Amino acid sequence: MLFFLKYFYVFILFFFSLTGTSQKFLKEEMDAILAIEGNNKLNELHYLLSNQNKLLKTQELALLYVEIGKQFYKNKDNENAILFFKKAIVIQEMYKKNNLEVLNRTRNNLAWIYYYEEKNNERFKTLKQIVDDAGKDKYTFNAIIDFSILEAKRGDFYSGLHRLNIELAKNKEVEKEIKLRAILIYIYSKKYENAFTSVNQSDLNIVKQHHLKIEQKFHESNLEQNEKYDIYNNLANVYEAFNEIDVALALYEKVRKYYDDDTLNKLKAVNNIGILHAKQQKYSKANNCFQEVINKSTDIEQIATAYNNWGYFLQTNSSSSKIPYFQKAIHIILEENQTDFTIPSLDQIKKSGYEQEILVYLVDLAYHYVEAYKEEKKKHYLLKAKEIAYRVDELVSLIRYESNAEQSKLFWIEKGVNTYMLAVEVCYFLNSPEEAFYFMEKNKALLLLENIKTLQAKLALDIPKEIQDREYKLHYELLTLERLFQEQSSNKLIKQKYSSKNKEFQQFIDSVESEYPKYVKTKQKIETVTLNEVIANTISKEEVFVSYILNENHGFGIFCTSNEKLLFKLNNVIQLQSDLVLLKQLMKQRFMDKVAKADFNRISNSVFQSLFPFKDALSKLKNKKIIIVPDDALLSLPFEALLTSHSEDFSKHYLVNFSEISYLQSFSVFEKIKQKINHPQKKIMAIVPYQFENNSLPELLGSKEMMHTLERYKKSDVFEENQATKENFYNFSNEYEIIHLNTHAGIDNITRTPWIAFRNKKLTLDELYGIENEASLVILDACKTNDGVFVSGEGILSLSRGFFYNGSKSVLASIWNVNQKAGNTIIKTFYDELEQKKSKSKSLQNAKIKYLQEHKFSEALPYYWASFTLTGSTSSLEISKGITFETILIIVFIFILLVYIWSKKSNKFSKK
């Protein structure tokens, strides 16, 4: 046996030494073949390959596959080139630990062939592999740029911005810095290209900073001048979006002159110049620009965009005459020659690779179909517009789902808003409340719905809480540093911290992914509930709901009972928006003079009539439980304080007197919230700092009486003074059914992020997202806890949102600064009503009515009682007071008294 093992060992050594020698010869033979001039290299390399043992996965064999792939590429046989590059990559991945650059070079070659073959998905995956391996070679740098560009073209702008900012923070070379800043400008340009969305001033400031750095350092680089003019073109796009027309026009003209001999680049600028002329109402010049592009360009995107622009700015009173231009744009970009127009399928749009461009064309086409219906009253225009609305909804949902960055998702949610309004208008004309409800739900809190669903999926994986907490903490710190770096990209200290934090976060995610591979891949598609499902599952005979969709010019609503569906239009929306601004200002006033009271009386009732414009509105609302799904300016309006009729005695005519009211972000979000089953161990967690280490925050000594009341409830804990810390909230808040925070809150002046204060530190909304809770009710007994940044189509990014994200069933929060005395009075009564097993909405209604009954004059104004609103579940809670020390003393005293009386009587009886 030993003899056999000895000779086997000798054979193995001989075999590997022979293999090593043969691989050395293989390299030499390859070099010799490649040195030969002529076209016979491919045959020679194939012959060399036929003599190799392909079971031996050596680096030299991989190199042979690469060289064969290159020869196929030179022979314009890309299919076989791809095949051999893939074979090489399979082997090279086995050696990537020590030879990553070699692997990345092959991947880079493969990505370029995918580019030439217009296989964008395959190219995207290949570049992602290079980026994910995080090498330090030139192929990784180029892949980061190309991958970020592809992400932007797919609509995931913020993932690309984040990645490029990280690279910029690490970079020390001037040429690379200019390239990175140029692509950052390109992504902002892509974001605002044809964008029917609001602009963010901070984006323009960031772009200007990048522009300044490029101008300062461009002469130090070896970059070509045409790269500078590409930057100018992208800069002009951004300036145009911010309505700086003269600056944009000057930049486009520079580009046009520079590219006078480069037709495609010149016409790219001409198209944009045409749009600016149209905005300046120089329509003849604009049409000349669009026709020049159509006549001279060979690029289908340029031609299609020119047709779309021409139709949009065409000077005619007939919308139907504009429609063929938008149809032509869609046909051209899809490269279709058919004469009859059909709305493209989602699959056709995806395969074209022009999703964002077609989205714009479709929206313009749908809008003009609706306008044509208004002019000609032909129903088929509405049916076409509705069909397009569904296709746009699918397309926006697809782009949003494929985006990874939350900001990109918000961007595409906002993109869909105008289309959803248009779709609801179409449904109104067709009298289809069921379809209108679908589009209204798609217009509300989609990202919150997706995040709740994703979180629930992650929780189902049983990941330890400390891992989730660390992810949110690191992500929050990284976001904070990224904001600072974008504003101060030349600050070396911030640059270093940002780069270091990104590395720490990435290492953490990699370690989690290796242990819990499903965790970081959790991505949930969302579904919206139907109107009939809501009526069947949510609305009882005592309940009604009103859902709104609103923007600055248009508005609609749906009023539903268990047996009625009413789709209505909001009239004179521009005036309504103006009234809402003034009404909310009046509601926040602590005192009103005679003029202000008259204004409030008139405007409040006018808004009530506008928001409930249907017949017998008040009788349909009386003694009902109203669920309100607000939108836009209505999100910060307490409907309870609307006057149902004109009266100098406001107290008796507020809507709160007739109905109990609660709010939802959307019914789809509510259905998802209901699915989580909470298991709290205790009843009430109350946190009240009274005083703060931050001296700018005033004391809250008036809350002591309220906290002493809460101490009396069973299974309740009051964290006050030094115990009212951020750390205690982190550690214990998930143990309680009711979380009551009596403190200060606000919004950061720079980041616009909501925060809530504890004794030692502030907790921001971004941090709050990482704290799971088991609460059935969160009471945010502080100022402006329902306030935050408004995002069209998503709602207000408030503290309330953070609690719903992490499992809360309902939140009681304030819209404006709360009067401490009045607030404590209402909250105390609210608890008393809950103790009697009344619903949360009924408890709040009764608390407000009681306050109004007990207070007169200025103290009965909305400022004092209307700020608190209830969002989410209205179901009752079981709470009860325990026996207090005072009660025990009374019982003992009564017992002693009874014993004394009994003993007295006993003595009297014994004497007889």
Side-chain angles (χ1 to χ4, degrees):
M1 183 67 179
L2 287 172
F3 179 79
F4 172 77
L5 288 173
K6 180 179 177 182
Y7 276 92
F8 178 74
Y9 179 67
V10 170
F11 171 76
I12 291 295
L13 285 176
F14 173 73
F15 176 79
F16 278 109
S17 64
L18 188 63
T19 299
T21 304
S22 66
Q23 296 309 307
K24 182 181 177 183
F25 288 144
L26 174 59
K27 178 73 170 62
E28 290 174 356
E29 288 182 73
M30 264 193 295
D31 290 342
I33 291 169
L34 294 172
I36 299 172
E37 293 185 7
N39 299 321
N40 204 32
K41 294 177 184 177
L42 183 58
N43 291 335
E44 293 291 338
L45 290 170
H46 261 304
Y47 179 75
L48 183 60
L49 177 63
S50 67
N51 293 322
Q52 304 305 310
N53 182 354
K54 299 175 189 64
L55 295 176
L56 297 175
K57 308 294 185 184
T58 63
Q59 296 181 70
E60 287 75 15
L61 180 62
L63 191 57
L64 178 55
Y65 284 141
V66 169
E67 294 301 337
I68 292 172
K70 286 180 181 178
Q71 294 304 314
F72 273 122
Y73 168 69
K74 287 179 181 178
N75 292 344
K76 299 184 179 178
D77 183 354
N78 285 343
E79 187 176 342
N80 274 314
I82 290 169
L83 177 67
F84 277 89
F85 281 135
K86 280 184 168 181
K87 286 183 177 183
I89 286 169
V90 169
I91 297 173
Q92 288 173 340
E93 281 178 340
M94 297 163 59
Y95 300 94
K96 77 174 181 180
K97 186 175 181 181
N98 297 316
N99 289 284
L100 181 58
E101 185 173 357
V102 173
L103 169 61
N104 283 342
R105 183 168 59 227
T106 308
R107 286 168 167 170
N108 177 67
N109 290 334
L110 180 60
W112 274 109
I113 295 178
Y114 282 143
Y115 170 75
Y116 297 131
E117 291 293 306
E118 297 183 352
K119 295 185 176 182
N120 291 324
N121 287 337
E122 288 85 353
R123 182 173 179 239
F124 186 86
K125 291 173 186 174
T126 305
L127 290 171
K128 187 176 187 303
Q129 290 171 342
I130 301 175
V131 171
D132 287 348
D133 279 336
K136 295 181 179 178
D137 50 76
K138 65 179 181 180
Y139 306 107
T140 299
F141 177 80
N142 291 333
I144 285 170
I145 287 178
D146 291 341
F147 187 63
S148 299
I149 291 171
L150 282 180
E151 283 182 311
K153 287 181 176 179
R154 287 180 164 209
D156 192 359
F157 306 109
Y158 289 93
S159 289
L161 291 173
H162 172 73
R163 185 173 294 102
L164 292 167
N165 277 318
I166 292 292
E167 197 63 24
L168 186 60
K170 293 190 296 185
N171 177 71
K172 294 179 181 177
E173 298 176 31
V174 171
E175 202 159 292
K176 285 184 177 181
E177 179 188 341
I178 292 171
K179 284 185 177 181
L180 289 167
R181 292 188 187 277
I183 302 304
L184 283 163
I185 291 172
Y186 164 79
I187 294 177
Y188 281 112
S189 165
K190 194 71 181 168
K191 175 184 170 182
Y192 285 109
E193 184 180 58
N194 298 317
F196 35 95
T197 187
S198 57
V199 294
N200 185 343
Q201 186 62 37
S202 66
D203 285 350
L204 181 60
N205 295 337
I206 290 167
V207 167
K208 285 181 175 179
Q209 187 181 93
H210 289 310
H211 181 199
L212 178 63
K213 290 294 178 184
I214 289 170
E215 294 288 2
Q216 288 173 346
K217 296 186 178 183
F218 196 88
H219 69 280
E220 299 176 31
S221 72
N222 294 316
L223 296 172
E224 300 290 333
Q225 279 293 110
N226 64 313
E227 295 189 54
K228 188 174 186 179
Y229 284 87
D230 285 343
I231 295 168
Y232 286 160
N233 196 73
N234 293 325
L235 277 168
N237 284 345
V238 177
Y239 282 114
E240 179 189 340
F242 284 85
N243 212 31
E244 295 195 15
I245 303 298
D246 292 337
V247 179
L249 196 55
L251 285 166
Y252 283 138
E253 289 291 357
K254 273 186 180 181
V255 174
R256 178 161 68 170
K257 287 176 184 176
Y258 179 79
Y259 284 119
D260 197 44
D261 297 326
D262 183 341
T263 304
L264 287 181
N265 276 317
K266 175 184 174 182
L267 292 176
K268 186 178 179 182
V270 169
N271 224 338
N272 292 323
I273 290 168
I275 294 172
L276 294 185
H277 283 322
K279 287 182 177 180
Q280 293 174 327
Q281 299 184 335
K282 299 174 182 176
Y283 298 112
S284 178
K285 284 187 174 182
N287 289 343
N288 290 338
C289 288
F290 302 141
Q291 288 178 37
E292 183 182 352
V293 174
I294 291 166
N295 294 333
K296 295 181 180 178
S297 181
T298 57
D299 182 89
I300 59 169
E301 182 188 347
Q302 285 185 0
I303 299 169
T305 300
Y307 269 111
N308 192 80
N309 292 337
W310 194 1
Y312 191 88
F313 293 110
L314 189 67
Q315 291 305 289
T316 174
N317 294 324
S318 170
S319 296
S320 59
S321 63
K322 293 184 171 189
I323 288 172
Y325 290 87
F326 307 122
Q327 294 174 337
K328 180 80 171 175
I330 293 167
H331 271 161
I332 288 171
I333 207 159
L334 291 174
E335 299 185 83
E336 293 180 347
N337 296 317
Q338 63 203 61
T339 53
D340 294 332
F341 178 76
T342 56
I343 295 165
S345 68
L346 189 62
D347 190 50
Q348 283 178 290
I349 295 170
K350 275 200 74 176
K351 284 180 179 176
S352 76
Y354 292 105
E355 292 96 325
Q356 293 182 54
E357 289 74 18
I358 294 172
L359 175 65
V360 174
Y361 307 159
L362 285 172
V363 170
D364 288 344
L365 178 57
Y367 172 78
H368 284 87
Y369 273 138
V370 175
E371 291 303 302
Y373 165 77
K374 292 176 183 177
E375 294 163 10
E376 302 175 25
K377 303 301 178 191
K378 293 178 181 177
K379 187 177 177 181
H380 75 272
Y381 286 131
L382 290 179
L383 297 177
K384 286 287 186 185
K386 187 176 75 170
E387 187 181 354
I388 291 175
Y390 278 110
R391 186 69 73 248
V392 169
D393 171 51
E394 290 176 339
L395 185 52
V396 169
S397 298
L398 175 72
I399 296 172
R400 185 186 56 76
Y401 179 73
E402 290 182 345
S403 299
N404 290 315
E406 185 159 310
Q407 287 172 296
S408 293
K409 292 176 186 288
L410 284 172
F411 175 85
W412 285 106
I413 286 168
E414 192 171 6
K415 278 269 191 179
V417 167
N418 289 340
T419 308
Y420 294 138
M421 178 64 79
L422 188 68
V424 172
E425 184 177 22
V426 170
C427 296
Y428 172 74
F429 287 129
L430 294 171
N431 193 26
S432 177
E434 291 83 4
E435 290 183 292
F437 181 81
Y438 168 80
F439 289 112
M440 289 167 83
E441 282 289 293
K442 290 302 290 281
N443 186 57
K444 294 181 176 72
L446 280 186
L447 186 56
L448 177 59
L449 176 61
E450 182 181 298
N451 286 340
I452 290 170
K453 191 170 182 181
T454 299
L455 178 67
Q456 290 176 5
K458 285 184 175 183
L459 292 175
L461 296 174
D462 244 1
I463 308 297
K465 185 175 183 299
E466 56 268 22
I467 289 180
Q468 296 179 54
D469 289 347
R470 179 155 170 73
E471 179 193 352
Y472 282 108
K473 184 174 183 294
L474 284 173
H475 188 236
Y476 166 71
E477 291 170 350
L478 184 61
L479 284 176
T480 304
L481 284 168
E482 183 169 24
R483 286 193 199 106
L484 284 171
F485 177 70
Q486 284 182 322
E487 293 165 6
Q488 306 174 51
S489 61
S490 300
N491 188 307
K492 291 182 180 179
L493 182 60
I494 294 173
K495 187 176 181 179
Q496 183 183 356
K497 285 182 177 179
Y498 177 44
S499 178
S500 175
K501 185 59 66 176
N502 178 70
K503 187 176 180 181
E504 183 185 357
F505 179 71
Q506 201 54 56
Q507 286 173 344
F508 168 77
I509 290 295
D510 291 343
S511 67
V512 174
E513 187 172 14
S514 64
E515 193 169 352
Y516 304 98
K518 291 183 180 178
Y519 178 70
V520 294
K521 295 175 182 174
T522 308
K523 196 176 206 179
Q524 298 293 313
K525 285 192 174 179
I526 57 173
E527 306 87 28
T528 55
V529 294
T530 66
L531 180 57
N532 290 330
E533 286 171 339
V534 170
I535 292 171
N537 302 330
T538 306
I539 304 299
S540 67
K541 287 183 179 180
E542 294 76 34
E543 291 176 311
V544 301
F545 84 78
V546 191
S547 184
Y548 294 97
I549 183 169
L550 181 69
N551 63 22
E552 61 274 10
N553 296 310
H554 304 284
F556 296 89
I558 295 178
F559 174 79
C560 269
T561 68
S562 56
N563 54 20
E564 181 183 17
K565 304 170 191 171
L566 179 61
L567 175 58
F568 58 88
K569 182 179 181 179
L570 300 179
N571 296 311
N572 200 353
V573 169
I574 294 174
Q575 182 60 51
L576 172 62
Q577 290 280 17
S578 176
D579 285 347
L580 285 169
V581 171
L582 186 54
L583 178 60
K584 284 187 269 190
Q585 289 173 353
L586 289 167
M587 285 181 173
K588 295 174 187 178
Q589 288 188 15
R590 304 181 186 205
F591 173 80
M592 290 187 198
D593 59 22
K594 194 172 182 179
V595 174
K597 282 184 178 179
D599 287 341
F600 177 75
N601 196 347
R602 174 180 54 82
I603 296 171
S604 183
N605 182 245
S606 174
V607 169
F608 174 79
Q609 300 292 340
S610 296
L611 295 179
F612 300 98
F614 42 90
K615 189 178 178 182
D616 300 324
L618 185 57
S619 63
K620 291 181 178 183
L621 299 175
K622 266 187 180 180
N623 302 316
K624 295 290 186 181
K625 179 179 175 181
I626 309 175
I627 300 171
I628 294 171
V629 186
D631 188 31
D632 198 75
L634 302 179
L635 288 160
S636 55
L637 175 73
F639 279 62
E640 295 93 323
L642 294 177
L643 290 174
T644 57
S645 62
H646 290 290
S647 173
E648 291 185 7
D649 186 1
F650 298 160
S651 295
K652 294 178 182 178
H653 296 273
Y654 290 125
L655 183 56
V656 72
N657 292 292
F658 307 104
S659 310
E660 57 179 283
I661 297 173
S662 65
Y663 303 83
L664 294 177
Q665 291 97 344
S666 76
F667 278 101
S668 301
V669 168
F670 185 52
E671 285 301 313
K672 187 53 59 182
I673 287 169
K674 287 196 296 187
Q675 290 176 16
K676 182 173 181 283
I677 308 300
N678 288 344
H679 301 285
Q681 303 164 25
K682 301 178 182 180
K683 279 293 172 186
I684 302 174
M685 176 194 207
I687 295 185
V688 54
Y690 299 135
Q691 295 173 318
F692 302 85
E693 292 179 10
N694 183 342
N695 294 327
S696 66
L697 298 173
E699 296 179 348
L700 290 171
L701 300 179
S703 299
K704 288 193 174 182
E705 184 181 344
M706 182 69 223
M707 293 302 112
H708 292 326
T709 302
L710 294 183
E711 284 177 326
R712 296 171 185 170
Y713 288 97
K714 293 178 182 177
K715 295 186 178 179
S716 300
D717 296 308
V718 176
F719 293 76
E720 52 190 350
E721 301 289 358
N722 292 329
Q723 289 185 321
T725 62
K726 183 176 175 179
E727 290 74 19
N728 280 341
F729 176 75
Y730 259 113
N731 295 331
F732 303 115
S733 59
N734 66 338
E735 298 176 7
Y736 295 86
E737 186 175 10
I738 299 174
I739 299 171
H740 186 138
L741 302 178
N742 186 292
T743 179
H744 290 293
I747 300 175
D748 186 273
N749 290 330
I750 298 172
T751 65
R752 306 303 298 158
T753 302
W755 55 263
I756 192 162
F758 294 87
R759 184 179 180 87
N760 57 337
K761 296 173 186 173
K762 291 178 181 178
L763 176 77
T764 69
L765 176 60
D766 291 333
E767 293 174 290
L768 184 59
Y769 285 141
I771 307 172
E772 187 194 352
N773 70 72
E774 300 285 327
S776 294
L777 173 64
V778 175
I779 299 175
L780 299 176
D781 190 1
C783 298
K784 295 184 179 180
T785 46
N786 233 356
D787 199 4
V789 175
F790 171 72
V791 177
S792 185
E794 187 62 21
I796 296 174
L797 307 186
S798 65
L799 292 167
S800 296
R801 180 188 178 91
F803 281 101
F804 280 116
Y805 178 97
N806 287 320
S808 303
K809 300 292 186 184
S810 59
V811 176
L812 184 68
S814 60
I815 298 173
W816 56 72
N817 292 336
V818 180
N819 177 273
Q820 192 175 13
K821 182 182 175 183
N824 285 343
T825 301
I826 289 170
I827 295 295
K828 184 178 182 302
T829 310
F830 174 70
Y831 274 107
D832 292 340
E833 295 289 322
L834 284 179
E835 195 175 353
Q836 297 174 40
K837 296 185 170 54
K838 291 175 183 171
S839 70
K840 293 192 278 280
S841 54
K842 192 66 180 176
S843 298
L844 185 59
Q845 181 196 18
N846 287 350
K848 289 180 174 181
I849 290 174
K850 184 181 178 186
Y851 177 87
L852 287 170
Q853 290 170 344
E854 294 175 353
H855 294 80
K856 303 295 179 185
F857 308 114
S858 291
E859 287 189 334
L861 292 174
Y863 164 77
Y864 292 93
W865 63 270
S867 178
F868 285 114
T869 57
L870 177 70
T871 305
S873 169
T874 63
S875 59
S876 59
L877 300 172
E878 289 190 14
I879 60 171
S880 58
K881 292 189 179 80
I883 300 176
T884 64
F885 179 71
E886 291 87 348
T887 306
I888 293 171
L889 285 178
I890 292 169
I891 292 170
V892 169
F893 175 76
I894 292 170
F895 177 75
I896 293 170
L897 184 62
L898 289 173
V899 169
Y900 175 76
I901 293 169
W902 179 80
S903 63
K904 279 283 188 182
K905 285 187 178 182
S906 296
N907 291 336
K908 202 171 184 181
F909 180 76
S910 61
K911 284 179 181 178
K912 286 183 178 182

